[in-house]
Amino acid sequence: EIGLWFVGVDGGLAARAIDGGLGLGAAGRLNLTAGLVTVFGRYVYWPEDVGAEHVVQIGFTFKIPVWEDE
């Protein structure tokens, strides 16, 4: 992942179980973080999947801080 201030970008290999085998693809994601909330958009390309080879997902991540006594 590469990030600057509140923007992050990452990518890599994607894998999923499909028809009793393993489907491989490529994924990229853009993250926008503000405090404890991250909004992300992800694009996944599945070269072996006919009809659904391009997938776009949008989601939220909520972060919960954990305090530790020293």
Side-chain angles (χ1 to χ4, degrees):
E1 181 175 356
I2 298 172
L4 181 63
W5 293 319
F6 61 90
V7 179
V9 178
D10 65 17
L13 181 66
R16 67 177 175 177
I18 184 169
D19 296 330
L22 182 65
L24 297 176
R29 183 172 53 192
L30 174 66
N31 302 310
L32 302 173
T33 302
L36 301 177
V37 178
T38 299
V39 178
F40 67 86
R42 178 169 49 185
Y43 171 77
V44 183
Y45 174 66
W46 303 104
E48 299 173 0
D49 193 358
V50 177
E53 58 269 344
H54 303 278
V55 177
V56 176
Q57 299 171 328
I58 298 172
F60 296 91
T61 301
F62 299 98
K63 301 175 183 180
I64 300 172
V66 177
W67 287 273
E68 181 179 324
D69 292 332
E70 292 185 25

